């Protein structure tokens, strides 16, 4: 019915996201009343201009979820607890506290040697390709796009392969967050990071955790655990979806498939286009109104939860004069957010290097990759938070292994 709140977990959000966005715009405009799991009320900002404003005004739309006016309505067992519970990390910090944490995280990530990172990424990518290159077929989502960022991030943190696998599976559960296993996955992350922090305090190494342990900010174990969860959450699954969505584009769009064995510029073009058309991060929670205010004709009450719809904003017809395939090198998308709480610059660079190297290695090793099913048979993950294909089956001419690394 007109003007009724939209349920964020409506199946159409994954099966017909573009049409769903259009219907929301037609009925509600750029700011939409929504219901989260458990009928928790919130606002979803789908307009580009309005989202830019929200992200640029932390004095009006604050970050700490301790400001939320809906805590008394959220059951303790709700999976939204893992999304909204205020943690002592960069995501929920405000003001000077956020500035200090942002600097610490950026410094820890910026210390990564990009040349070494590229070599390590290529080594992991070759190892993954070796596992299936002789078969003539593979499922790139689970066999390549999913594990590659996890392996590289695990290396950045100084983890071994077994620990990396556990962390990746836990983050996948949290991103799909349909309820089942969410608390168990979160508990697993806390436990693994806690053990790693204790070890790095006694035996520091050349890794991100060790650099944060020794940062002048003086992290406690609890604060650093929360910080590591924030970094992993922002780097693992979004990079997986970015890589997977760009591979889907190269396999289904002749503009890219025609040059798969050629110019490297097409890889970066594909990655940029994905950030506009199929943003890995679709919806984020969020911001909290610091006072009663009006946004696009909607009365937002103090403490209301404001959800950030990056994917929908990127498709706002009021600012998208170009159609798909015409965005070129335009980086004004919202996929890395905007403002003081945008994805740290160093993290953006790491994610892009992982995705670019991952695609280049795969296309070098298997230059005749083809999608094994009709493009229309591909299915998107049923998550309102992230955008990525469920599977990406391919065929190719069997190739030889490169060997051990």
């Amino acid at each position: 019915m007109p003007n009724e709140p939209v349920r964020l977990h409506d199946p159409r959000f994954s099966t017909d996201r573009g049409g769903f966005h259009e219907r929301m715009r037609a009925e509600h405009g750029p700011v939409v009343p929504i219901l989260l799991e458990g009928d928790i009320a919130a606002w979803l900002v789908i307009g580009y201009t309005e989202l830019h404003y929200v992200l640029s005004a932390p004095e009006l739309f604050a970050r700490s979820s301790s400001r939320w006016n809906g805590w008394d309505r959220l059951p303790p067992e709700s999976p939204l607890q893992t999304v909204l519970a205020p943690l002592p990390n960069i995501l929920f910090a405000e003001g000077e506290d956020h500035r200090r944490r942002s600097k610490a995280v950026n410094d820890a990530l910026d210390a990564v040697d990009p040349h070494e990172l590229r070599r390590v990424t290529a080594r992991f990518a070759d190892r993954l390709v070796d596992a299936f290159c002789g078969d003539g077929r593979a499922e790139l989502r689970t066999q390549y796009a999913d594990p590659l960022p996890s392996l590289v991030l695990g290396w950045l943190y100084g983890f071994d392969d077994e620990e990396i696998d556990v962390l990746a599976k836990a983050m996948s559960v949290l991103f799909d967050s349909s309820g089942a296993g969410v608390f168990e996955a979160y508990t697993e992350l806390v436990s693994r990071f806690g053990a790693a922090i204790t070890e790095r305090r006694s035996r520091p190494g050349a890794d991100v955790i060790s650099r944060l342990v020794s940062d002048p900010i003086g992290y406690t174990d609890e604060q650093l655990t929360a910080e590591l969860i924030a970094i992993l959450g922002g780097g693992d699954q979004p990079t997986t979806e970015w890589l997977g969505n760009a591979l889907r584009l190269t396999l289904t769009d002749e503009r890219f498939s025609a040059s798969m064995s050629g110019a490297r510029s097409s890889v970066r073009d594909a990655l940029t286009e994905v950030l506009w058309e199929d943003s890995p991060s679709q919806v984020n929670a969020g911001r909290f109104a610091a006072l009663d205010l009006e946004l696009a004709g909607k009365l937002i009450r103090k403490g209301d939860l404001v959800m950030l719809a990056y994917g929908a904003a990127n498709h706002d017809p009021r600012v998208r004069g170009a159609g798909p395939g015409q965005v070129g090198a335009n980086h004004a998308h919202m996929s890395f957010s905007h403002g003081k709480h945008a994805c740290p610059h160093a993290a953006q660079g790491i994610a892009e290097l992982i995705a670019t190297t991952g695609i280049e290695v795969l296309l070098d090793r298997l230059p005749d990759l083809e999608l094994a099913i009709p493009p229309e048979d591909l299915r998107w993950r049923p998550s309102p938070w992230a955008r990525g294909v469920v599977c990406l089956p391919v065929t190719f001419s069997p190739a030889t292994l490169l060997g051990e690394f």
Side-chain angles (χ1 to χ4, degrees):
M1 295 179 63
N3 299 317
E4 283 196 352
V6 175
R7 293 188 178 277
L8 188 62
H9 282 78
D10 189 307
R12 292 174 296 177
F13 216 100
S14 58
T15 59
D16 181 24
R17 189 159 302 198
F20 199 47
H21 289 160
E22 289 179 11
R23 287 188 288 273
M24 285 195 293
R25 291 187 209 280
E27 184 172 332
H28 298 283
V31 178
V32 183
I34 63 171
L35 293 176
L36 303 173
E37 291 183 67
D39 288 345
I40 299 298
W43 299 95
L44 184 67
V45 183
I46 63 174
Y48 185 99
T49 302
E50 290 74 19
L51 184 57
H52 188 280
Y53 175 71
V54 168
L55 295 172
S56 303
E59 70 282 2
L60 299 178
F61 299 94
R63 186 62 188 91
S64 176
S65 60
S66 62
R67 298 173 178 268
W68 188 33
N69 58 24
W71 282 114
D72 60 333
R73 302 189 299 276
L74 188 68
E77 68 277 7
S78 170
L80 290 172
Q81 289 280 357
T82 61
V83 177
L84 297 174
L87 296 173
N89 64 21
I90 189 174
L91 291 180
F92 295 97
E94 297 179 356
E96 178 61 18
D97 184 33
H98 178 264
R99 189 199 67 76
R100 291 170 61 244
R101 291 177 182 277
S102 181
K103 182 179 185 305
V105 170
N106 258 307
D107 288 349
L109 296 176
D110 203 39
V112 178
D113 181 344
H115 301 292
E116 184 179 14
L117 178 61
R118 183 178 294 277
R119 287 195 299 271
V120 169
T121 302
R123 186 175 75 239
F124 281 132
D126 276 323
R127 180 190 301 178
L128 292 171
V129 174
D130 267 358
F132 57 74
C133 67
D135 299 337
R137 60 177 56 249
E139 199 289 278
L140 293 182
R141 163 77 199 202
T142 57
Q143 291 182 272
Y144 195 73
D146 202 2
L148 182 59
S150 300
L151 289 167
V152 179
L153 290 171
W155 170 78
L156 289 174
Y157 295 153
F159 287 147
D160 60 32
D161 288 356
E162 181 181 352
E163 291 172 315
I164 292 168
D165 186 55
V166 171
L167 294 174
K169 289 178 180 176
M171 287 306 304
S172 182
V173 171
L174 290 179
F175 261 80
D176 284 326
S177 67
S178 59
V182 170
F183 288 102
E184 292 83 355
Y186 183 79
T187 300
E188 184 69 49
L189 286 176
V190 171
S191 174
R192 296 279 174 162
F193 280 132
I197 291 167
T198 299
E199 181 182 1
R200 302 302 192 281
R201 289 198 188 281
S202 60
R203 291 185 297 172
D207 57 74
V208 169
I209 296 178
S210 296
R211 288 192 282 272
L212 287 172
V213 162
S214 61
D215 191 272
I217 196 174
Y219 281 108
T220 65
D221 285 9
E222 179 189 10
Q223 291 171 336
L224 187 48
T225 296
E227 206 76 284
L228 292 172
I229 290 174
I231 296 170
L232 183 64
D236 186 15
Q237 286 291 314
T239 306
T240 284
E241 310 304 0
W242 194 12
L243 173 57
N245 291 350
L247 285 172
R248 181 198 67 83
L249 190 61
T250 64
L251 291 166
T252 59
D253 192 314
E254 62 182 9
R255 291 176 298 125
F256 300 101
S257 60
S259 58
M260 282 173 64
S261 61
R264 291 306 181 208
S265 62
S266 65
V267 172
R268 289 181 170 80
D269 288 344
L271 288 168
T272 298
E273 183 162 321
V274 161
L275 293 176
W276 277 104
E277 305 300 336
D278 292 307
S279 177
S281 297
Q282 287 285 309
V283 176
N284 178 263
R287 296 295 185 270
F288 304 86
L291 66 163
D292 290 351
L293 48 84
E294 185 177 297
L295 181 65
K298 303 296 196 307
L299 177 59
I300 313 290
R301 295 293 187 182
K302 180 179 179 180
D304 278 1
L305 169 58
V306 178
M307 307 286 287
L308 316 172
Y310 303 127
N314 286 339
H315 284 267
D316 189 338
R318 297 176 301 169
V319 297
R320 281 292 299 272
Q326 298 175 291
V327 291
N330 187 341
H331 293 277
H333 55 76
M334 289 291 185
S335 292
F336 290 124
S337 193
H338 175 74
K340 294 181 178 180
H341 273 275
C343 178
H345 180 74
Q348 294 183 36
I350 289 172
E352 182 174 9
L353 190 150
I354 293 171
T356 302
T357 305
I359 295 175
E360 291 178 351
V361 168
L362 184 67
L363 300 186
D364 281 343
R365 295 284 305 277
L366 306 172
D368 62 347
L369 273 176
E370 291 186 0
L371 193 63
I373 61 176
E376 59 270 20
D377 288 347
L378 291 172
R379 296 291 177 264
W380 296 100
R381 295 175 65 193
S383 170
W385 315 109
R387 177 75 162 171
V389 291
V390 174
C391 64
L392 195 61
V394 295
T395 59
F396 48 86
S397 299
T400 58
L401 280 67
L402 289 186
E404 296 296 329
F405 297 89

